[in-house]
Amino acid sequence: IFHGFYAGEDLVGNLATMSTNERIKAIQKMPENMKKKREIRNKVLKEITKKSRHHSTQCSGCTQCLQGAVVSFRRFGNTLSEYFHLLRFWHKTLKIIGAKFGTSVLSYFIFLKWLLTFNAFSFLINFSFITVPQFVAAEPNNLSFTGLELFTGAGYFQQTVLYYGFYTNATITKIENGPSYNMQLAYIFTVGIYFVICFLILLFSMAKSFCRNFINPQTYSGNASKLLCTWDFNITNEKAVKLKQKNLSTQIKEDLTEVNQEVLNFSVTERVVRIVIHLVSWIASLGTAVAACAGVYFLSINNLKLFVKGHKNDLESQAAMLVLPIVASLLNAFIPFFYSWLGHLEKFQTPGHHVYVTITRNIVLKISIVGILCYYWLNIVSASESQCWETLVGQDIYRLVLVDFIFCLLGSLFGEFLRRIIGTTVCVSLGLPEFDIGRNVLDLIYAQTLTWIGILFSPLLPGIQMISFSIIFYVKKVSLMMNCQPPRKVWRTAQMTTSFMFLLFFPSFVGVLSVIGVTVWRLKPSEECGPFRGLPSMYAAVSKWIKILENYTASKWVVWIYHNLITSVLFFFILSVLALIIAYLYWQIIEGRKTMTKLLRKQIIN
């Protein structure tokens, strides 16, 4: 006992003499559990404090205060990092899902969590720079709240910060002769800078996921290293040990399935039959998407006529507008089941092919419906007799987001539940349903696309989407655990998260940028509402501001950047050429590394 005590004292003394980075690495490498490591770290910090006090006679008062502050700050940082580790949202839930259902289902929940964080960031930006200043200049709302507004988004909500039409076009000044806040510039710059940040975040996330899942040689490190080198000996809790064992077992099964994948040889007749089935399935899926888009278009035209003829503030006429989002949500909810049935009919060799084909068909359907709605908003609603067409578009998007959220909950609570009841009681041969990754992922991308489009017309829409995604996460988790079974064919899907990111970027985000660009540069704002009333276009507010800056010498650099960079076609042409060259060089590097990793993988397997 005394020997262990003195050995511990020597260890603490040695660690106290190391630099901060060396000490952290040394403690991390110790074969001890986390509780023991924290005790050692706290003893080392106390020893450092004692030494600093011992040398206090040789140090000045300022040096003592500085050293004490550094030690206190270090302790505070360590404590804070521990609490942040405990507060990581859904970390344990994701581990359980990955262990039981594999990385294919786990990739959906990781993507959902990423979108939730993304919308939280969007809400904070819009609320801070657009909504909060508007509260200063807000006029009292004289409309009565009936409760129906929660479903229609009309009535009382029309005169709130939820919609574009409520925001002022004046320069807000809280104190006379004090600093002012130009709402026009704040609105357009906040939305513009937000989309630039989204663009960079999406590019960085795609590049990071691509490097981790496609290029990193550790992905192809073989099963022996996973079996022998990945166990964490610091795990002592029995539940954590079982969860880690199950997770590791699932990963090895996925890798073995990929290595032992059989190549089926079909006869000429079988190949012809399979090709015909694929062609018929694609024709059926594309025909269904075209029919759905046509139905949404004609329904939207009739709904607009009904709304314009009625009283614009009448809640009953606003409630009639729920027909369009309900029909759109019904099409988005039931047609994917038809696509899944087509996928089972085609009998793909691997589950991955089935998922990717289903995702492609769903993205064609959903993006086509969104495209038809955007055409309806930008070409028909904007030219209608409505006093504030921007608010009308915001209300349409609000209803679409809300109804889509309700259908998503109903699909989980009743669709998967009823499928489980039928598979366990009525038709036992069906068994429990599997989690439909393609359909659920496309539901998220569809909802996020609507949110991005609606940011210009309803700045607080990301906050609503943030709440809906949080509820969807818990509902999907409960439905998955109670109603679904793990995939019958285990398969590794390390690249699936990258595919989700790419689909979110193109065609979703790129399409949204096109819609926002047409709205800002081409369409004329309403004359009686919104921050850009009376202007020929929203972008005219920026041009007007630049003309004012030309009269100030101190702002000449802003004017130069605007004329020579932002509005210069040559600058963007050169930037595009450089981007293409960099992308080509980067792709060549990727292909070289992929070839090397494949050779390394073959050597390890052999």
Side-chain angles (χ1 to χ4, degrees):
I1 295 174
F2 285 110
H3 177 73
F5 174 77
Y6 286 114
E9 290 295 322
D10 293 338
L11 175 63
V12 171
N14 293 332
L15 290 172
T17 59
M18 296 180 181
S19 64
T20 304
N21 292 333
E22 292 176 349
R23 183 166 60 250
I24 291 174
K25 290 180 180 178
I27 294 176
Q28 287 178 345
K29 291 179 180 179
M30 290 180 182
E32 302 287 349
N33 55 41
M34 290 302 296
K35 184 178 180 181
K36 184 66 176 177
K37 288 182 179 180
R38 288 170 183 164
E39 291 178 357
I40 295 173
R41 185 198 61 199
N42 293 332
K43 288 181 181 180
V44 172
L45 291 177
K46 289 180 181 179
E47 182 67 21
I48 294 173
T49 306
K50 288 180 182 179
K51 288 184 179 181
S52 63
R53 290 175 181 174
H54 178 71
H55 295 289
S56 59
T57 57
Q58 301 176 4
C59 301
S60 62
C62 294
T63 306
Q64 291 182 32
C65 294
L66 183 61
Q67 289 180 349
V70 169
V71 173
S72 301
F73 183 77
R74 191 179 298 155
R75 286 181 177 177
F76 174 75
N78 292 329
T79 306
L80 198 64
S81 64
E82 291 178 11
Y83 283 110
F84 274 123
H85 180 77
L86 294 174
L87 291 175
R88 282 192 296 177
F89 292 110
W90 304 319
H91 182 67
K92 184 178 179 181
T93 302
L94 293 176
K95 279 190 172 182
I96 295 173
I97 293 172
K100 186 174 182 181
F101 295 91
T103 56
S104 57
V105 178
L106 177 63
S107 61
Y108 165 80
F109 286 90
I110 292 175
F111 185 61
L112 175 56
K113 180 185 174 184
W114 186 84
L115 284 179
L116 177 61
T117 308
F118 206 79
N119 280 282
F121 167 74
S122 308
F123 172 74
L124 289 176
I125 288 181
N126 290 347
F127 186 78
S128 301
F129 295 101
I130 298 179
T131 305
V132 172
Q134 178 61 31
F135 283 132
V136 178
E139 298 178 359
N141 192 342
N142 298 322
L143 299 176
S144 60
F145 182 78
T146 61
L148 186 61
E149 295 89 345
L150 294 174
F151 298 97
T152 64
Y156 179 84
F157 286 161
Q158 283 183 289
Q159 301 299 323
T160 63
V161 293
L162 182 60
Y163 295 119
Y164 163 93
F166 182 72
Y167 289 85
T168 181
N169 65 335
T171 300
I172 301 173
T173 304
K174 183 66 176 177
I175 304 173
E176 188 176 354
N177 297 326
S180 59
Y181 195 83
N182 192 320
M183 181 55 72
Q184 288 183 344
L185 297 178
Y187 203 101
I188 194 168
F189 280 142
T190 300
V191 173
I193 293 173
Y194 163 73
F195 277 108
V196 171
I197 294 174
C198 287
F199 178 77
L200 297 176
I201 290 176
L202 283 173
L203 282 183
F204 175 78
S205 300
M206 283 194 300
K208 183 180 178 181
S209 180
F210 189 85
C211 291
R212 183 174 63 247
N213 297 322
F214 284 87
I215 304 174
N216 193 352
Q218 292 179 356
T219 306
Y220 306 103
S221 58
N223 301 316
S225 61
K226 278 190 177 179
L227 185 62
L228 302 175
C229 307
T230 59
W231 185 258
D232 187 359
F233 290 94
N234 293 323
I235 300 176
T236 57
N237 184 272
E238 185 177 355
K239 290 184 179 179
V241 169
K242 291 182 178 179
L243 182 62
K244 183 69 175 179
Q245 289 175 342
K246 198 170 185 180
N247 204 333
L248 186 59
S249 173
T250 304
Q251 292 180 19
I252 294 175
K253 286 179 182 178
E254 292 173 350
D255 289 340
L256 290 174
T257 302
E258 184 179 359
V259 173
N260 299 326
Q261 182 177 338
E262 297 181 3
V263 179
L264 301 178
N265 295 319
F266 297 102
S267 63
V268 177
T269 305
E270 290 175 338
R271 289 180 182 178
V272 172
V273 171
R274 288 177 64 86
I275 291 174
V276 170
I277 292 175
H278 289 319
L279 288 175
V280 171
S281 299
W282 275 105
I283 293 172
S285 61
L286 293 176
T288 306
V290 171
C293 291
V296 170
Y297 177 74
F298 288 111
L299 181 62
S300 61
I301 297 297
N302 293 330
N303 267 350
L304 180 64
K305 292 179 181 178
L306 177 66
F307 177 74
V308 172
K309 288 181 181 179
H311 299 288
K312 293 181 175 59
N313 291 326
D314 185 16
L315 289 178
E316 292 184 1
S317 62
Q318 291 284 353
M321 298 292 286
L322 283 172
V323 177
L324 175 62
I326 289 176
V327 171
S329 297
L330 282 172
L331 293 173
N332 282 321
F334 288 103
I335 292 180
F337 287 107
F338 173 65
Y339 290 165
S340 298
W341 177 77
L342 288 178
H344 290 296
L345 187 67
E346 292 174 285
K347 296 180 180 179
F348 292 98
Q349 295 186 30
T350 62
H353 291 163
H354 183 191
V355 170
Y356 284 121
V357 170
T358 304
I359 286 177
T360 303
R361 289 169 179 168
N362 278 279
I363 198 71
V364 170
L365 170 69
K366 294 180 183 293
I367 295 300
S368 299
I369 291 177
V370 172
I372 290 296
L373 290 173
C374 289
Y375 176 82
Y376 157 69
W377 291 325
L378 301 185
N379 291 274
I380 299 174
V381 176
S382 62
S384 65
E385 300 175 4
S386 175
Q387 294 180 354
C388 190
W389 65 267
E390 295 92 346
T391 296
L392 182 59
V393 172
Q395 292 174 3
D396 272 344
I397 298 176
Y398 173 87
R399 288 188 283 265
L400 284 166
V401 169
L402 180 66
V403 175
D404 179 73
F405 167 68
I406 294 174
F407 271 77
C408 185
L409 295 183
L410 293 177
S412 297
L413 296 176
F414 294 101
E416 294 172 352
F417 173 74
L418 291 177
R419 173 66 176 79
R420 178 176 70 89
I421 297 298
I422 293 173
T424 54
T425 57
V426 180
C427 186
V428 184
S429 60
L430 292 176
L432 294 175
E434 294 185 14
F435 189 79
D436 194 338
I437 302 169
R439 178 173 58 84
N440 284 283
V441 167
L442 266 299
D443 287 342
L444 296 181
I445 294 178
Y446 171 76
Q448 186 60 40
T449 304
L450 291 176
T451 304
W452 275 333
I453 297 173
I455 280 178
L456 188 64
F457 309 103
S458 179
L460 297 185
L461 199 60
I464 298 173
Q465 197 64 273
M466 180 179 63
I467 297 172
S468 67
F469 280 161
S470 301
I471 298 174
I472 287 173
F473 188 96
Y474 285 106
V475 171
K476 289 291 183 182
K477 185 202 76 170
V478 173
S479 177
L480 177 71
M481 295 297 180
M482 294 181 61
N483 302 321
C484 299
Q485 64 173 341
R488 294 183 179 92
K489 295 182 179 179
V490 183
W491 54 295
R492 190 171 65 87
T493 56
Q495 298 89 357
M496 185 159 282
T497 304
T498 308
S499 303
F500 297 162
M501 296 286 183
F502 178 77
L503 289 174
L504 188 65
F505 179 78
F506 181 84
S508 176
F509 184 74
V510 174
V512 169
L513 288 182
S514 304
V515 173
I516 297 298
V518 171
T519 306
V520 172
W521 270 275
R522 298 287 299 275
L523 299 184
K524 184 179 180 180
S526 299
E527 295 287 345
E528 302 179 9
C529 70
F532 303 101
R533 66 189 78 173
L535 295 177
S537 66
M538 294 183 183
Y539 188 73
V542 179
S543 302
K544 182 180 177 182
W545 176 61
I546 292 297
K547 290 181 179 179
I548 295 174
L549 291 181
E550 290 177 352
N551 300 323
Y552 297 94
T553 307
S555 303
K556 291 292 184 181
W557 63 275
V558 179
V559 179
W560 185 91
I561 291 175
Y562 175 80
H563 288 297
N564 294 279
L565 298 181
I566 296 177
T567 60
S568 174
V569 178
L570 179 62
F571 170 74
F572 284 101
F573 174 75
I574 296 173
L575 196 64
S576 301
V577 171
L578 291 175
L580 289 174
I581 293 173
I582 293 173
Y584 175 76
L585 295 175
Y586 185 64
W587 181 257
Q588 292 298 319
I589 295 172
I590 289 172
E591 289 298 321
R593 295 192 63 179
K594 286 176 70 175
T595 304
M596 292 178 62
T597 51
K598 286 180 180 179
L599 294 175
L600 178 63
R601 183 184 177 188
K602 288 182 180 179
Q603 292 177 359
I604 293 174
I605 293 174
N606 292 334

